[in-house]
Amino acid sequence: MQPEEQKQLLIQQIADMMEDEAVALAKQMLAEGYPPLELLGHCREAMEIVGKRYETGEYFLPELMLAGEMLGSIGEIAKPLIDQGAGTKAKGATVLIGTVHGDLHDIGKNIVSFMLDINGYNVIDIGIDVPVEEFIRNIREHKPVVVGLSGFLTLAFDSMKETIQRIEAEGLRQGMKIMIGGGQVDETILKHTGADAYGMNAMDAVNLCKNWIPA
Amino acid sequence: MQPKRADANSGRTPAQLLADREQRLLAAVQLERPDRLPTALFAHFWISRYSGLTNRQAMYDYGRLGAAVVKAVSDLEPDAYVPGHNVMAFGPTLDLIDYRQLEWPGHGGLGDNVPYQYLDREYMTVAEYDEYLRDPTGFMLHRYLPRAANAFKPMAMLPNYPSVLHTRIPQSLAVYANPEVRQLLQTLITAGEEMQRMQESGAKIVAELKAAGFPLALHATCGAPFDVASDYLRGSKGAMLDMFRNKDKLLRLLERLVELLPANAIATADRNQGKFIFFPLHWGLDGFMSPQQFETFFWPPLRRVLVGLIDLGYIPVVFWEGDCTSRLEVIADIPPGKAIYMFERSDLKKAKKILGNRVCIRGGMPVSTLITGTAEQTRDTVKRLFDEIGDGGGYILDSGVGIPDEAKHENVVAMFETAKECRY
């Protein structure tokens, strides 16, 4: 098979959730000397197709999960073959995301992180039950253009409000957009927290970021 | 705002009020019009906060929690309520067994006013499918319970009873003299006594409120087979990946769970002398799985559990978490007038249209209104819901997740008072 055919097949197999075939083909290509960085680029192309299929309602959470696994497996094989200092494609604007304090839920946040990542954003995911100070510290360090506050429980509404008030009080709000999402968040909760926008799902988060700043 | 206590001043005796309330709920389940809009007080820590308790106090202080439940129920006069002890007061027992599947207020770094939260982990590995399918009881005893609580670790040493017969039976007893197993047995007795104290304390409140005319809204809890496979066995990631990697095993596990899950719900409901069996659903919602995955992994096994319980005379109270609007046609396939569907974010108008002649609908009050709105907005919402969703009966007023912990007291009072004014 010609490299171009291999490339197309790999992209198709990942996008079509053919895990065993895709991982085997990637292994074979690398063994035959296919440039690892290029191969990872193809994986990213496949992820974009997966993302589009998620956007259009063809794919759902299980497919995103499996796509992530495939990317992980292929990455594990490819990365040791990459020359140090070769560098990878520069990432776009930085989005900082975390689940607010008191809330241990992460599924929604993880999907948003995943979708932002495959849409080219530089996602800094700082985990669950994140104290206000931790958000502030990370904002200072990473200087994100968008901050995403996630929360599933109703207690998260006040944690979001508190986090946003602190961001303002620290003088960090200017030039930054804040989006919230998860659980029962709606228009009323948006006003309550003082965020710039809310989203009902991961695609909303991507679209908000795209409107605010292209990746 | 002081609640009006309209029922208490109605001249009806507590026994009459109990019958009125039971009839009101039953009429809604049977898709008929009751005398007025029925309500259910479904809440966790809102009840204890209403009396000024922290979440931690609610989980640990049986007496104060009991007084809080009585106060909330007496003030709001719901047509049914959720027994507070069963959903909150297991703090002391969790400590005694060193439980690992939850974090709770004042434990694991959580503050005193945070609700308890389940930890999504893989509790059964992919290699253990066959073991579970062959012998679920043995798996639960030897593998699962030791992972669920640190105090249960010595259960791994207990005999594998299907292979212990005849003279091997007395021989097998030696393990009970093992120091770790002795400690396990002692902990089981101590924790059992603690749970008994909690349940007795809760039962006293249930009896007291029944004598005052208030029935229970929930007598047992069960789960959807896929949720059990996902939440409690494989973990959410494992179950989702198994849809592709281990589809046959996952389907066989779901089959087994259809057979296994009802037993505890039936025993608990019978002990509590009631018919309402609650099903909190977690993974079937729109956006989480595709319609095809829903109709392969989620709905068929759940439907079998629901219909099985309905055939035995129980009333499933199915809580469709998140937005399940795209599932409405599929989940309409259930015997009419035998169950309650509680919706969190689904489109209730559509639900009424599609399910109105199949199943009683519960929910509709936005939690954001209860938490951040005014009493007036709450009243208006109740009236709107009564007109739109309550039309023709078959509707129970509730919020999408019951009463959220942070709901303003005056809004909750307004919600229950307004419902009493909504007469058919």
Short mmCIF file of all heavy atoms in Angstrom, two decimals, chain A residues 24-47:
data_model
loop_
_atom_site.label_atom_id
_atom_site.label_comp_id
_atom_site.label_asym_id
_atom_site.label_seq_id
_atom_site.Cartn_x
_atom_site.Cartn_y
_atom_site.Cartn_z
N ALA A 24 -3.31 -1.31 14.68
CA ALA A 24 -2.42 -2.23 13.97
C ALA A 24 -1.79 -1.52 12.76
O ALA A 24 -0.58 -1.66 12.51
CB ALA A 24 -3.19 -3.47 13.52
N LEU A 25 -2.60 -0.77 12.03
CA LEU A 25 -2.09 -0.08 10.85
C LEU A 25 -1.05 0.98 11.25
O LEU A 25 0.01 1.10 10.60
CB LEU A 25 -3.25 0.57 10.08
CG LEU A 25 -2.86 1.41 8.85
CD1 LEU A 25 -2.09 0.55 7.84
CD2 LEU A 25 -4.10 2.00 8.18
N ALA A 26 -1.34 1.73 12.32
CA ALA A 26 -0.40 2.75 12.78
C ALA A 26 0.93 2.10 13.15
O ALA A 26 2.01 2.61 12.79
CB ALA A 26 -0.99 3.51 13.96
N LYS A 27 0.84 0.96 13.83
CA LYS A 27 2.05 0.23 14.24
C LYS A 27 2.86 -0.18 13.01
O LYS A 27 4.08 0.01 12.96
CB LYS A 27 1.60 -1.03 15.00
CG LYS A 27 2.41 -1.32 16.25
CD LYS A 27 1.94 -2.59 16.92
CE LYS A 27 1.34 -2.30 18.27
NZ LYS A 27 0.87 -3.48 18.98
N GLN A 28 2.13 -0.72 12.03
CA GLN A 28 2.78 -1.18 10.79
C GLN A 28 3.45 0.01 10.06
O GLN A 28 4.60 -0.07 9.64
CB GLN A 28 1.74 -1.83 9.90
CG GLN A 28 2.31 -2.46 8.63
CD GLN A 28 1.23 -2.68 7.58
OE1 GLN A 28 0.08 -2.92 7.92
NE2 GLN A 28 1.62 -2.57 6.31
N MET A 29 2.72 1.11 9.96
CA MET A 29 3.26 2.27 9.26
C MET A 29 4.53 2.77 9.93
O MET A 29 5.54 3.07 9.26
CB MET A 29 2.21 3.40 9.21
CG MET A 29 1.07 3.11 8.24
SD MET A 29 -0.39 4.18 8.52
CE MET A 29 0.16 5.74 7.83
N LEU A 30 4.50 2.82 11.27
CA LEU A 30 5.67 3.31 12.00
C LEU A 30 6.84 2.35 11.83
O LEU A 30 8.00 2.77 11.66
CB LEU A 30 5.33 3.51 13.48
CG LEU A 30 4.38 4.69 13.76
CD1 LEU A 30 3.86 4.63 15.18
CD2 LEU A 30 5.08 6.03 13.50
N ALA A 31 6.53 1.04 11.85
CA ALA A 31 7.58 0.03 11.68
C ALA A 31 8.22 0.16 10.30
O ALA A 31 9.41 -0.11 10.13
CB ALA A 31 6.99 -1.37 11.88
N GLU A 32 7.42 0.58 9.33
CA GLU A 32 7.94 0.74 7.98
C GLU A 32 8.63 2.09 7.77
O GLU A 32 9.01 2.43 6.66
CB GLU A 32 6.80 0.60 6.96
CG GLU A 32 6.27 -0.84 6.84
CD GLU A 32 4.96 -0.92 6.06
OE1 GLU A 32 4.50 0.12 5.53
OE2 GLU A 32 4.38 -2.01 6.01
N GLY A 33 8.72 2.85 8.85
CA GLY A 33 9.46 4.11 8.78
C GLY A 33 8.63 5.35 8.48
O GLY A 33 9.17 6.40 8.14
N TYR A 34 7.33 5.24 8.59
CA TYR A 34 6.47 6.41 8.36
C TYR A 34 6.81 7.48 9.39
O TYR A 34 6.94 7.16 10.58
CB TYR A 34 5.00 6.00 8.49
CG TYR A 34 4.04 6.92 7.79
CD1 TYR A 34 3.60 6.66 6.50
CD2 TYR A 34 3.56 8.06 8.43
CE1 TYR A 34 2.72 7.50 5.86
CE2 TYR A 34 2.68 8.92 7.80
CZ TYR A 34 2.26 8.64 6.51
OH TYR A 34 1.38 9.48 5.88
N PRO A 35 6.94 8.73 8.99
CA PRO A 35 7.33 9.77 9.97
C PRO A 35 6.29 9.90 11.10
O PRO A 35 5.11 10.15 10.81
CB PRO A 35 7.38 11.04 9.14
CG PRO A 35 7.43 10.59 7.72
CD PRO A 35 6.79 9.27 7.64
N PRO A 36 6.73 9.69 12.33
CA PRO A 36 5.77 9.67 13.46
C PRO A 36 4.99 10.98 13.63
O PRO A 36 3.80 10.93 13.94
CB PRO A 36 6.65 9.38 14.68
CG PRO A 36 8.05 9.58 14.24
CD PRO A 36 8.10 9.38 12.78
N LEU A 37 5.66 12.10 13.40
CA LEU A 37 4.94 13.38 13.57
C LEU A 37 3.81 13.52 12.55
O LEU A 37 2.72 13.98 12.88
CB LEU A 37 5.90 14.55 13.43
CG LEU A 37 6.50 15.09 14.72
CD1 LEU A 37 7.43 16.26 14.42
CD2 LEU A 37 5.41 15.51 15.70
N GLU A 38 4.11 13.08 11.33
CA GLU A 38 3.08 13.13 10.28
C GLU A 38 1.92 12.22 10.64
O GLU A 38 0.75 12.56 10.46
CB GLU A 38 3.68 12.69 8.94
CG GLU A 38 4.24 13.83 8.13
CD GLU A 38 4.75 13.36 6.79
OE1 GLU A 38 4.07 12.55 6.12
OE2 GLU A 38 5.88 13.76 6.44
N LEU A 39 2.27 11.03 11.15
CA LEU A 39 1.24 10.07 11.53
C LEU A 39 0.33 10.65 12.62
O LEU A 39 -0.90 10.52 12.56
CB LEU A 39 1.90 8.77 12.01
CG LEU A 39 0.91 7.63 12.23
CD1 LEU A 39 1.31 6.40 11.42
CD2 LEU A 39 0.79 7.27 13.68
N LEU A 40 0.94 11.33 13.59
CA LEU A 40 0.12 11.94 14.64
C LEU A 40 -0.77 13.05 14.06
O LEU A 40 -1.89 13.27 14.52
CB LEU A 40 0.99 12.49 15.77
CG LEU A 40 1.64 11.42 16.66
CD1 LEU A 40 2.51 12.08 17.73
CD2 LEU A 40 0.60 10.53 17.32
N GLY A 41 -0.26 13.71 13.02
CA GLY A 41 -1.06 14.71 12.32
C GLY A 41 -2.30 14.08 11.69
O GLY A 41 -3.39 14.64 11.73
N HIS A 42 -2.13 12.88 11.13
CA HIS A 42 -3.28 12.18 10.54
C HIS A 42 -4.31 11.84 11.62
O HIS A 42 -5.52 11.90 11.39
CB HIS A 42 -2.85 10.89 9.84
CG HIS A 42 -1.76 11.09 8.83
ND1 HIS A 42 -1.59 12.28 8.16
CD2 HIS A 42 -0.77 10.25 8.39
CE1 HIS A 42 -0.55 12.17 7.34
NE2 HIS A 42 -0.03 10.96 7.47
N CYS A 43 -3.78 11.44 12.79
CA CYS A 43 -4.68 11.12 13.91
C CYS A 43 -5.53 12.36 14.24
O CYS A 43 -6.72 12.26 14.52
CB CYS A 43 -3.90 10.70 15.15
SG CYS A 43 -3.09 9.10 14.95
N ARG A 44 -4.87 13.50 14.23
CA ARG A 44 -5.58 14.73 14.55
C ARG A 44 -6.66 15.02 13.49
O ARG A 44 -7.77 15.42 13.83
CB ARG A 44 -4.57 15.88 14.63
CG ARG A 44 -5.15 17.18 15.15
CD ARG A 44 -4.10 18.04 15.80
NE ARG A 44 -3.67 17.52 17.09
CZ ARG A 44 -4.34 17.72 18.22
NH1 ARG A 44 -5.45 18.41 18.23
NH2 ARG A 44 -3.91 17.24 19.36
N GLU A 45 -6.31 14.75 12.24
CA GLU A 45 -7.32 14.91 11.18
C GLU A 45 -8.52 14.01 11.44
O GLU A 45 -9.67 14.42 11.28
CB GLU A 45 -6.71 14.51 9.82
CG GLU A 45 -6.16 15.66 9.01
CD GLU A 45 -5.67 15.15 7.65
OE1 GLU A 45 -6.51 14.80 6.80
OE2 GLU A 45 -4.44 15.08 7.48
N ALA A 46 -8.23 12.76 11.85
CA ALA A 46 -9.31 11.80 12.14
C ALA A 46 -10.15 12.32 13.30
O ALA A 46 -11.38 12.21 13.29
CB ALA A 46 -8.71 10.44 12.47
N MET A 47 -9.48 12.91 14.30
CA MET A 47 -10.20 13.43 15.47
C MET A 47 -11.13 14.57 15.05
O MET A 47 -12.21 14.73 15.62
CB MET A 47 -9.21 13.96 16.51
CG MET A 47 -8.49 12.88 17.27
SD MET A 47 -9.62 11.84 18.18
CE MET A 47 -8.79 10.31 18.03
#
